[in-house]
């Protein structure tokens, strides 16, 4: 590249251009005793170290006033930021250039160093509600910070993962976000963990066999689910439009780099042994891959899936309780005020015996009601929109986290939490449990079904508040789309 530019006489021009600089919004000017920009020099000078004259007691003391200042003149505050901190209103820091970590009478300005974009994405960490207290494990990981592993074929695809190495609290589940180009494959493989998948975009053809020699093949599209138990070998090939899918594994330490690959089976066994096992001549292996294929381009799958439907005497798994796919996209959601919910668990998808999931849509201002799961951790993935979750951990710790599309959430079993839409578009998110049935405990329902005297003696709530609680789970609570309004119900004023 450099030689070709030089031949065109463009090299001096290219070298003279300023280096590319990405701007994420950050403070500038003097900081830490350095005043940028520093002068450019052509020769080194000065010393790396100072001397004893700079020790406290020897050096001249800085002035008590009139020196370097941490004051922030004219700080911009957003709607709701001056309301009492215990209200915990959502703060839209995108409405100002320089957010400040202030809530009501709490906090103060931040003169830096800072990168404003982080704070705009995480307003409840930067200016937390007064209800936050103590130490709660980090419950959020953005897939955008995960390392991307590229496929081996030309623009064949990629994957990125979340496991305990990046989100230590997530000890029961891990995930992989994977992209395949049209007709590309995720190489033939199997895992020690169970693999549950939600199709996000496009369509794929999956194929597998079980221990009894029963085969399976099916096409799934956006919104559909598959599950392969540990040890079951399978293939995944994108159809004509390519695809992206989310894989959830029942092991927090799972790593995509520890997958059992077909190419490695052939590379890690003596050729003489492979020839004996497959009853062919050794020459049959002259073109086997020299390294893992991982994700690679392939030839188009036939439109007629029956051309690839191969069975033994054991037959096929299709259509029975052992089926590895579920066409969740065709399930009509439960619709209620504020959003929709679809549940998929072993009662309808038996092969995924410990995967229970809900796909939830929240309208602006609405929230997934305050709840907890009695026996399982909850793994979340945000497909669209922005939301926040407060995690309450016994006896008195709480922390509020903010999420946008592509973020992973994780809440440990029994920890109380909600999911609140904080944006102006629908939030779509996935809840996954390691449980034989999707269940939760609703705070509202608990209050409604507990003797009223007990509630009044414990919480000093009025009859009006207690009587307003539903005896059936709401799942979703509607709310005012104006997140700084003190009318939290979203009901019109009379």
């Amino acid at each position: 590249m450099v030689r070709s530019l030089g031949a065109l006489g463009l090299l001096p021009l290219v070298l003279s251009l300023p280096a590319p600089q990405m701007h994420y919004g950050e403070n500038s000017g003097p900081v830490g005793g350095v005043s940028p920009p520093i002068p450019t020099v052509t020769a080194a000078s000065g010393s790396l170290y100072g001397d004893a004259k700079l020790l406290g007691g020897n050096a001249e003391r800085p002035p008590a006033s009139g020196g370097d200042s941490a004051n922030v003149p004219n700080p911009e505050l957003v709607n709701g930021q001056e309301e009492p901190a215990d209200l915990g209103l959502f703060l839209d820091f995108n409405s100002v250039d320089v957010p400040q970590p202030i809530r009501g009478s709490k906090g103060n300005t931040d003169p830096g160093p800072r990168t404003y974009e982080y704070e705009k994405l995480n307003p409840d960490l930067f200016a937390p509600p007064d209800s936050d207290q103590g130490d709660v494990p980090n419950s959020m990981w953005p897939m955008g910070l995960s390392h991307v592993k590229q496929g081996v074929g030309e623009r064949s695809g990629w994957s990125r993962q979340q496991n305990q190495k990046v989100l230590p609290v997530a000890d029961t589940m891990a995930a992989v976000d994977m992209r395949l180009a049209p007709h590309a494959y995720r190489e033939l493989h199997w895992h020690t963990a169970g693999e549950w998948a939600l199709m996000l975009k496009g369509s794929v053809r999956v194929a597998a066999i079980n221990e009894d020699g029963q085969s399976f093949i099916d096409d799934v599209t956006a919104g559909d689910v598959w599950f392969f138990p540990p040890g079951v070998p399978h293939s995944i090939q994108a159809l004509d439009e390519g695809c992206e899918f989310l894989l959830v594994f029942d092991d927090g330490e799972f790593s995509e780099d520890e997958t059992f690959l077909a190419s490695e089976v052939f590379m890690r066994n003596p050729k003489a042994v492979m020839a004996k096992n497959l009853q062919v001549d050794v020459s049959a292996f002259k073109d086997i891959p020299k390294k893992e294929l991982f994700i690679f381009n392939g030839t188009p799958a036939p439109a007629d899936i029956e051309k690839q439907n191969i069975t033994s005497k054991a037959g096929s798994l299709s259509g029975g309780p052992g089926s590895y796919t579920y066409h969740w996209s065709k399930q009509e959601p439960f619709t209620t005020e504020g959003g929709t919910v679809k549940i998929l668990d072993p009662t309808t998808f038996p092969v995924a015996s410990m995967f229970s999931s809900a796909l939830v849509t929240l309208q602006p201002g609405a929230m997934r009601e305050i709840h907890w799961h009695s026996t399982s951790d909850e793994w979340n993935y945000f497909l669209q929109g922005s939301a926040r979750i407060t995690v309450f951990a016994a006896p008195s710790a709480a922390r509020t986290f903010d999420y946008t599309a592509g973020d992973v959430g994780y809440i440990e079993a029994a920890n109380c939490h909600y999911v609140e839409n904080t944006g102006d578009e629908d939030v779509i998110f996935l809840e996954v449990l390691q449980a034989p049935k999707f269940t939760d405990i609703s705070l509202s329902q608990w209050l409604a079904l507990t003797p009223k005297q007990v509630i009044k003696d414990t919480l000093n709530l009025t009859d009006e508040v207690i009587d307003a609680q539903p005896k059936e789970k709401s799942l979703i609570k509607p709310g005012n789309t104006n997140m700084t309004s003190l009318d939290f119900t979203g009901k019109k004023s009379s």
Side-chain angles (χ1 to χ4, degrees):
M1 176 67 177
V2 172
R3 182 178 300 172
S4 62
L5 289 172
L8 294 172
L10 298 177
L11 189 57
L13 176 61
V14 170
L15 294 179
S16 67
L17 293 175
Q21 177 65 54
M22 301 188 75
H23 297 281
Y24 301 108
E26 56 186 285
N27 60 308
S28 59
V31 63
V34 178
S35 297
I38 61 172
T40 301
V41 300
T42 58
S45 63
S47 172
L48 293 173
Y49 296 90
D51 55 33
K53 292 185 296 185
L54 302 182
L55 289 169
N58 295 336
E60 180 182 356
R61 290 189 297 272
S65 63
D68 185 43
S69 176
N71 290 328
V72 176
N74 304 316
E76 291 183 275
L77 301 183
V78 303
N79 289 337
Q81 200 163 0
E82 295 180 282
E83 297 291 344
D86 60 355
L87 281 177
L89 299 176
F90 178 72
L91 304 179
D92 180 13
F93 284 154
N94 288 297
S95 62
V96 295
D97 293 328
V98 182
Q100 299 297 341
I102 292 172
R103 267 194 188 266
S105 62
K106 302 293 184 71
N108 206 310
T109 57
D110 183 356
R114 309 168 53 186
T115 299
Y116 307 135
E117 296 305 316
Y118 293 135
E119 295 144 13
K120 291 180 180 182
L121 284 171
N122 300 282
D124 288 292
L125 290 178
F126 190 56
D130 202 38
S131 50
D132 278 15
Q133 176 174 292
D135 193 15
V136 173
N138 179 45
S139 298
M140 191 272 286
W141 176 256
M143 277 289 193
L145 292 182
S146 292
H147 176 267
V148 169
K149 182 178 180 181
Q150 307 283 10
V152 301
E154 182 178 356
R155 296 197 176 176
S156 56
W158 49 261
S159 74
R160 54 186 180 178
Q161 67 183 9
Q162 165 272 313
N163 55 24
Q164 274 194 288
K165 290 184 177 179
V166 297
L167 189 59
V169 70
D171 59 353
T172 66
M173 285 174 274
V176 172
D177 177 21
M178 186 170 288
R179 167 80 160 106
L180 300 180
H183 317 305
Y185 289 95
R186 171 62 171 106
E187 182 183 348
L188 286 162
H189 66 283
W190 71 94
H191 309 284
T192 58
E195 174 185 302
W196 187 97
L198 174 67
M199 289 295 301
L200 302 177
K201 293 279 188 178
S203 303
V204 300
R205 180 164 296 171
V206 294
I209 67 164
N210 68 7
E211 299 92 329
D212 298 324
Q214 293 174 294
S215 58
F216 181 84
I217 190 167
D218 195 16
D219 292 343
V220 290
T221 193
D224 292 343
V225 168
W226 76 71
F227 177 78
F228 295 119
V232 168
H234 53 280
S235 66
I236 306 167
Q237 184 181 19
L239 298 180
D240 294 352
E241 306 303 323
C243 66
E244 183 176 356
F245 48 85
L246 179 72
L247 304 171
V248 185
F249 296 90
D250 53 8
D251 179 1
E253 295 183 338
F254 173 85
S255 174
E256 182 75 348
D257 293 325
E258 296 174 0
T259 298
F260 293 89
L261 302 172
S263 58
E264 293 284 353
V265 172
F266 277 75
M267 286 187 282
R268 305 307 164 202
N269 284 288
K271 289 183 178 179
V273 173
M274 293 299 295
K276 183 183 296 186
N277 187 76
L278 299 182
Q279 294 289 287
V280 296
D281 188 79
V282 172
S283 63
F285 309 121
K286 62 183 178 64
D287 293 325
I288 63 171
K290 300 298 188 293
K291 59 181 181 179
E292 71 163 89
L293 296 177
F294 177 47
I295 293 173
F296 65 102
N297 293 314
T299 55
D304 182 2
I305 196 172
E306 290 303 317
K307 292 181 179 180
Q308 294 186 317
N309 189 10
I310 305 170
T311 59
S312 69
K313 292 180 181 179
S316 170
L317 289 163
S318 296
S323 177
Y324 290 137
T325 59
Y326 189 88
H327 292 263
W328 207 16
S329 64
K330 298 183 182 299
Q331 178 182 324
E332 292 297 323
F334 169 78
T335 302
T336 186
E337 188 178 5
T340 67
V341 182
K342 291 200 302 185
I343 289 176
L344 178 63
D345 63 23
T347 60
T348 49
F349 191 31
V351 70
S353 60
M354 286 298 288
F355 274 85
S356 295
S357 56
L359 187 63
V360 182
T361 301
L362 300 175
Q363 293 176 328
M367 61 183 280
R368 172 79 165 91
E369 69 174 336
I370 295 176
H371 68 283
W372 57 94
H373 303 284
S374 56
T375 61
S376 173
D377 295 356
E378 176 181 317
W379 185 93
N380 302 123
Y381 192 73
F382 288 83
L383 280 67
Q384 180 177 298
S386 58
R388 67 174 178 172
I389 297 174
T390 294
V391 179
F392 162 54
S396 59
R399 186 159 298 175
T400 305
F401 301 90
D402 298 281
Y403 301 84
T404 54
D407 287 351
V408 172
Y410 196 89
I411 298 98
E412 294 178 286
N415 283 358
C416 172
H417 59 284
Y418 61 86
V419 182
E420 182 184 28
N421 185 338
T422 56
D424 56 7
E425 63 178 1
D426 288 354
V427 163
I428 306 172
F429 73 97
L430 180 70
E431 295 183 39
V432 181
L433 311 179
Q434 288 295 300
K437 186 177 180 180
F438 190 92
T439 61
D440 63 22
I441 302 291
S442 160
L443 175 64
S444 293
Q445 188 181 45
W446 181 34
L447 295 177
L449 299 180
T450 298
K452 186 180 292 188
Q453 172 196 340
V454 176
I455 300 298
K456 294 174 72 171
D457 288 349
T458 304
L459 297 173
N460 295 323
L461 296 178
T462 65
D463 286 338
E464 181 183 18
V465 172
I466 298 172
D467 292 342
Q469 303 314 304
K471 293 181 173 61
E472 307 300 329
K473 289 180 185 176
S474 303
L475 296 177
I476 294 173
K477 305 285 191 181
N480 197 318
T481 57
N482 179 1
M483 298 295 291
T484 60
S485 168
L486 299 186
D487 176 11
F488 302 109
T489 64
K491 296 176 181 177
K492 293 181 180 179
S493 301
S494 55

